[in-house]
Amino acid sequence: MHSLCSVGSGRRGALGRGVALVGFRMQGAVMKHDFDLRFRLEGSALGGDDIAGRLAAAGCEDCVVGIGVPGRLGLHFTREADSMEAAVESALADVRHAAPSARLIEV
């Protein structure tokens, strides 16, 4: 995955563990933020198509879904928002709506 600008210092900030801040890019007056979120799906029997459909219905049409490891979920977002923090927080809320058992894990 490519980003146009690196924006993380490696510190753990207000967003917490498991958030990889990859970069951002401008398109007109709207900022698009690229970042990865990885989750453990606890007690979930959802298959790949099920979780992808639930994520899309919850507003995660702006992410690529990775489900290569059973019980794990990797998401790469390109989300429009005023700030990186706002982009990540809205993505986390959407994922929690789609998969309440999803737990954010270390990257």
Side-chain angles (χ1 to χ4, degrees):
M1 292 178 216
H2 301 286
S3 65
L4 300 178
C5 179
S6 177
V7 297
S9 66
R11 302 187 329 248
R12 297 189 196 281
L15 297 174
R17 295 170 32 185
V19 179
L21 303 180
V22 177
F24 70 93
R25 60 180 176 233
M26 296 289 293
Q27 180 176 343
V30 177
M31 291 182 69
K32 289 190 174 195
H33 303 277
D34 291 314
F35 55 94
D36 297 313
L37 302 175
R38 295 185 185 143
F39 297 88
R40 179 177 58 243
L41 299 176
E42 297 178 354
S44 177
L46 294 175
D49 291 337
D50 293 335
I51 193 67
R54 291 182 68 166
L55 286 165
C60 296
E61 300 95 356
D62 56 350
C63 75
V64 176
V65 178
I67 52 170
V69 178
R72 304 285 182 181
L73 176 65
L75 304 173
H76 177 79
F77 283 88
T78 300
R79 182 154 286 204
E80 294 181 0
D82 292 333
S83 69
M84 178 65 84
E85 186 170 353
V88 172
E89 291 296 334
S90 70
L92 286 170
D94 290 347
V95 173
R96 288 184 186 121
H97 180 73
S101 68
R103 300 292 173 246
L104 195 60
I105 60 173
E106 288 282 339
V107 174

